[in-house]
Amino acid sequence: MITGAGGMGVPTARNLGTDHHIVLFDNSQDRLDAAVAALDGIEVTTVLGDVTDRAAVDALFATATGIGPIASVVHTAGVSPSMGDAEFISRINALGTVNVDEALLALASGAVADGAAIVNVASMAAHLVPAELIPETLFPGALTDPDAFVAALLETYAPFPAEARSGFSYAVSKGFVKWYSSAQAERFTAAGIRIVSVSPGSVDTEMGRLEAESGAGAMVEGANVPRWGTAQEMADLFTYCVSDKAGYLTGTDILNDGGVVASMRARQG
């Protein structure tokens, strides 16, 4: 199963579709239709819905388990700073992750294949914000009172200039994805599911290029690998993470950013 029929979702589906039936979830029928056309020859079932709607996510999993046990979930659905305000970004990136992952965890025995894994897509942005600015003490609230959690996040954004809040909320929401994929690993392990997050750098997709004007391009120019990453490179890593070859990998984040974070830290040091 793959959430997000955009730039990284399609090559991931192509990779995994060589020996799996793909269930593809997105909130745009146009994107789903385009993905199916690009995945000619691969068995694909599409489901239209929003990751912030838990009922829609539960319906997605009902569709998937009706086809067979779920082997893996790659959760690529998310939004970038240019795509909305701080609340919108927080709900999509943070609560969307909770909805998808918790729905997987709630499945009855037999609905999930042995050795199943989930990959959550975070971002290098979560590695660039000073740790003391990531409000991790608020994060557990996402599992108990989602609306109060979002309200608390918005309070932490309030001191920032209005034009900076979307960018900061993006980094925090992706920091949440990293935190969740580590902090909840024992719960997933108990259910026989591996969970990891991957933090891509600047990726040459439609969404990635939206951020070029905000400075992403300048960071790439100074990186150890001075180019944008490709969607296929990210898809290949996601594919490895959910494969049997990565059977010892869980509860951690993989930074795949061409060395941007390393370069910036070296210069600051």
Side-chain angles (χ1 to χ4, degrees), residues 163-174:
E163 63 273 15
R165 289 174 196 161
S166 289
F168 185 56
S169 69
Y170 177 76
V172 169
S173 65
K174 291 301 189 177

Side-chain angles (χ1 to χ4, degrees), residues 1-2 12-18 20-24 39 42-46 67:
M1 179 192 299
I2 298 166
T12 303
R14 189 176 296 113
N15 283 359
L16 295 175
T18 58
H20 293 89
H21 187 122
I22 301 298
V23 178
L24 193 57
L39 295 169
I42 291 174
E43 267 193 298
V44 183
T45 296
T46 63
I67 296 168

Side-chain angles (χ1 to χ4, degrees), residues 65-127:
T65 55
I67 296 168
I70 295 175
S72 64
V73 177
V74 180
H75 176 45
T76 77
V79 290
S80 64
S82 298
M83 299 174 71
D85 63 16
E87 180 173 358
F88 176 75
I89 290 166
S90 298
R91 288 187 178 276
I92 294 285
N93 292 347
L95 295 186
T97 297
V98 172
N99 285 342
V100 170
D101 290 38
E102 293 293 320
L104 174 65
L105 195 57
L107 292 178
S109 176
V112 180
D114 291 340
I118 184 165
V119 172
N120 294 312
V121 177
S123 169
M124 74 172 176
H127 293 260

Side-chain angles (χ1 to χ4, degrees), residues 70-72 112-118 192-194 241-244 247:
I70 295 175
S72 64
V112 180
D114 291 340
I118 184 165
I193 303 168
R194 292 187 299 105
C241 287
V242 300
S243 74
D244 292 341

Side-chain angles (χ1 to χ4, degrees), residues 187-240:
R187 296 173 61 222
F188 282 82
T189 299
I193 303 168
R194 292 187 299 105
I195 178 172
V196 299
S197 60
V198 172
S199 288
S202 296
V203 182
D204 192 6
T205 63
E206 182 179 355
M207 190 172 84
R209 287 293 179 179
L210 281 175
E211 306 310 315
E213 295 180 4
S214 66
M219 288 190 291
V220 168
E221 290 172 7
N224 292 316
V225 182
R227 63 170 174 82
W228 289 67
T230 69
Q232 187 64 55
E233 287 172 319
M234 301 304 151
D236 289 345
L237 179 55
F238 303 157
T239 303
Y240 169 76

